[in-house]
Amino acid sequence: MSPRLATPADNERLLELFGAVPMQGELVLSTQRSPDFFRLYDIQRGTAEVWVHEAAQGLSAMGTFFAREGWLDGRACRVGYLGDLRTRFSARRHRSVARFYGPLLEEVARRLGVETFLTSVMATNAAALQALVRRQERRVAQPEYTLLRRFSAVSVHFTHRRAPRPGRFHVRRARPEDVPAMAALLDADHRARPFGYRYDQGELQHRLAHWPGLGVDGCYLAFDEHGALVGCTSVWDPHEVKRYRVLAYRGSMRWVKWGYDAMATVLRSPRLPEPGQDFRYFYLCNTSITGEDPAILRALVERVYADHQDRGYHFFSLYMGEEDPLQPALRGFFQRRLDFHLYAVTPASLAGRPSPPGGRTGFEMALA
C-alpha cells in the first residue's frame, strides 16, 4: 500500500504509534502529544503534511513534512522541517519507509517550494543514523543528509534556591510595549542565521497569540548599562501540545534518580517522575544574545531560574551547540544533556549543492 496523507480521523492511531516508539537510553522516554496530534503544527505559521503508511494491522509508519518562510544567505526562502518519524518493526523489516521516502520527499519538496529540510536525530540513535544518513546504492532516490551542527538539549534542573547576582546587565519581564523592540532584535539576529525565522513578518506576535501558555509576561529582556536591549528569551511550557513521559530508568540513571530524589526531599523540590509519569518542564525560546556574550545569557537564565524555582518544575531546556560560545552562561547549574545531530536534508535531484553557511541556525528546538 502506498503512503497517504493523514486526516483528523487518524488522530487516535497517530497518537498511539507516536507514543509507542520511545527514545531509548538509560532514561527511556516517550513523547506524548494527546489529545490532538496535529495541534503542535496548528500553532505554527506554515504548512504541515502528516503522511502515514498503513498495513493490514494498522498504521506501520508515519512522518511529517513542515514548510515555513525563512532566511538563507540573507535571502528569503522556504524552510522545511522533517519530524515525527516513527516506524513499527514490521515496516523496518519490509523496508516500507525506504521504498517510499525518497520519491515522497521529492514530490512534497517540489510542491511546497522547499529545497532543503532540517531534521534532528538523537546522537545515540544508531538505527536512524544507519537507515537515513548512510548512503546506500540500492536506495531509490535517497535524500542527501548533510551534518549541519552537533547540539545538546540542555536541561537545567531546579536543585537549590538561587537569586540573580548583580552584574552589568539588568533583566526584567517584558511589557506589551516592549514587543516591537524584542521583535526587532530577533529579526536582526535571524536574518543572519541559516534557516532563520521571519520575525519581520510578525513571527513573535503570532507566537504570543497562538502558542498556549506563552505570554508577554513570560518574555525576559536584558539591558546594558546604557539602557540598550542586548538580549531576550521566552519561557514556554508546552504541556498542552507536547510532554515527555518516563517509561524506565536504567543503569546509572537509577542511581541518579535515587540521589536526586533524596536531595529533592531535603530541599522540598519536586522529585523525578516515576515510570508512567511526565516531566514538568519548559523551554527557553525566542532567544537572541547580542554578540554571543555569555554574560547576557547568564543574566537571563539566573532571573528565569529565580522566578520559576518554586513552581513545581523539574527543569527547563535550551539549545546549546557544540563548542557554543554561550556555554559558560550555564556554569554552576545542575545540568543534563541529550545530544543530537542537526541535518540539512536535500532531495536526491538537488544533491551536491553547497552546504549552508556556518553560524547559529534558526532551528527552534522547542518545536522539534
Side-chain angles (χ1 to χ4, degrees):
M1 185 178 295
S2 297
R4 63 170 177 83
L5 273 170
T7 71
D10 295 305
N11 183 60
E12 292 303 319
R13 295 197 296 169
L14 287 168
L15 291 172
E16 188 277 327
L17 175 56
F18 190 76
V21 184
M23 293 183 283
Q24 297 287 351
E26 291 191 329
L27 176 60
V28 185
L29 298 172
S30 71
T31 310
Q32 304 293 310
R33 294 258 289 271
S34 60
D36 184 354
F37 177 84
F38 298 92
R39 182 126 191 255
L40 182 63
Y41 295 104
D42 291 341
I43 67 174
Q44 301 178 55
R45 296 198 306 172
T47 302
E49 294 187 357
V50 181
W51 286 80
V52 297
H53 184 267
E54 199 157 11
Q57 62 272 41
L59 298 185
S60 61
M62 60 180 289
T64 299
F65 300 86
F66 181 78
R68 61 169 173 86
E69 301 301 321
W71 297 103
L72 183 62
D73 288 329
R75 63 178 176 86
C77 69
R78 295 278 281 172
V79 175
Y81 183 75
L82 304 176
D84 304 335
L85 181 61
R86 298 290 191 275
T87 58
R88 296 193 192 277
F89 176 75
S90 58
R92 295 193 292 270
R93 182 181 60 198
H94 296 296
R95 298 177 54 79
S96 303
V97 175
R99 288 201 308 272
F100 295 115
Y101 176 42
L104 181 59
L105 180 67
E106 292 273 358
E107 189 274 326
V108 173
R110 182 170 54 253
R111 181 161 41 78
L112 297 184
V114 175
E115 295 181 358
T116 302
F117 291 83
L118 298 177
T119 196
S120 57
V121 181
M122 193 180 299
T124 57
N125 191 342
L129 295 174
Q130 169 74 14
L132 297 172
V133 178
R134 184 179 178 184
R135 302 296 298 174
Q136 300 181 33
E137 293 296 329
R138 65 180 182 274
R139 290 271 298 276
V140 178
Q142 181 179 4
E144 183 176 66
Y145 278 68
T146 302
L147 180 63
L148 288 181
R149 309 286 187 272
R150 292 180 173 87
F151 74 93
S152 298
V154 180
S155 299
V156 176
H157 287 254
F158 293 97
T159 54
H160 58 281
R161 298 192 61 81
R162 285 177 174 268
R165 296 175 299 177
R168 293 184 294 128
F169 303 102
H170 168 65
V171 175
R172 64 168 173 82
R173 289 176 182 259
R175 298 185 285 263
E177 59 267 27
D178 295 315
V179 171
M182 182 177 174
L185 179 66
L186 287 161
D187 172 39
D189 186 1
H190 275 252
R191 283 174 184 264
R193 294 190 188 190
F195 312 110
Y197 276 85
R198 296 297 304 267
Y199 281 95
D200 63 317
Q201 294 184 343
E203 178 67 25
L204 177 60
Q205 291 84 346
H206 175 89
R207 294 183 180 191
L208 291 171
H210 296 281
W211 288 20
L214 178 65
V216 174
D217 64 345
C219 298
Y220 288 77
L221 308 179
F223 299 88
D224 66 13
E225 60 269 26
H226 305 294
L229 179 62
V230 293
C232 63
T233 195
S234 299
V235 168
W236 181 47
D237 182 340
H239 76 277
E240 288 194 28
V241 295
K242 182 174 69 170
R243 298 168 300 283
Y244 290 112
R245 180 162 299 166
V246 175
L247 299 184
Y249 294 92
R250 296 174 176 169
S252 65
M253 275 304 301
R254 294 176 180 174
W255 294 104
V256 169
K257 177 173 170 31
W258 181 86
Y260 189 101
D261 287 352
M263 177 179 61
T265 299
V266 173
L267 299 174
R268 298 182 181 178
S269 58
R271 297 159 60 96
L272 291 180
E274 297 299 324
Q277 296 178 341
D278 298 337
F279 277 109
R280 283 208 64 206
Y281 73 102
F282 58 84
Y283 287 106
L284 294 188
C285 56
N286 300 320
T287 302
S288 182
I289 306 298
T290 299
E292 302 280 80
D293 184 347
I296 300 174
L297 180 60
R298 177 75 182 202
L300 288 164
V301 167
E302 285 187 346
R303 178 62 188 275
V304 167
Y305 189 105
D307 284 358
H308 293 82
Q309 58 192 343
D310 295 322
R311 298 191 180 182
Y313 287 105
H314 296 104
F315 62 85
F316 60 91
S317 288
L318 67 160
Y319 173 101
M320 196 61 68
E322 184 179 45
E323 300 181 357
D324 198 310
L326 296 177
Q327 286 189 18
L330 302 182
R331 285 186 186 139
F333 288 97
F334 184 89
Q335 309 166 43
R336 293 196 64 83
R337 293 172 178 255
L338 197 57
D339 296 329
F340 290 86
H341 295 168
L342 181 66
Y343 290 94
V345 184
T346 307
S349 61
L350 300 176
R353 294 198 171 194
S355 298
R360 194 174 302 279
T361 72
F363 171 69
E364 181 59 82
M365 188 183 74
L367 299 173

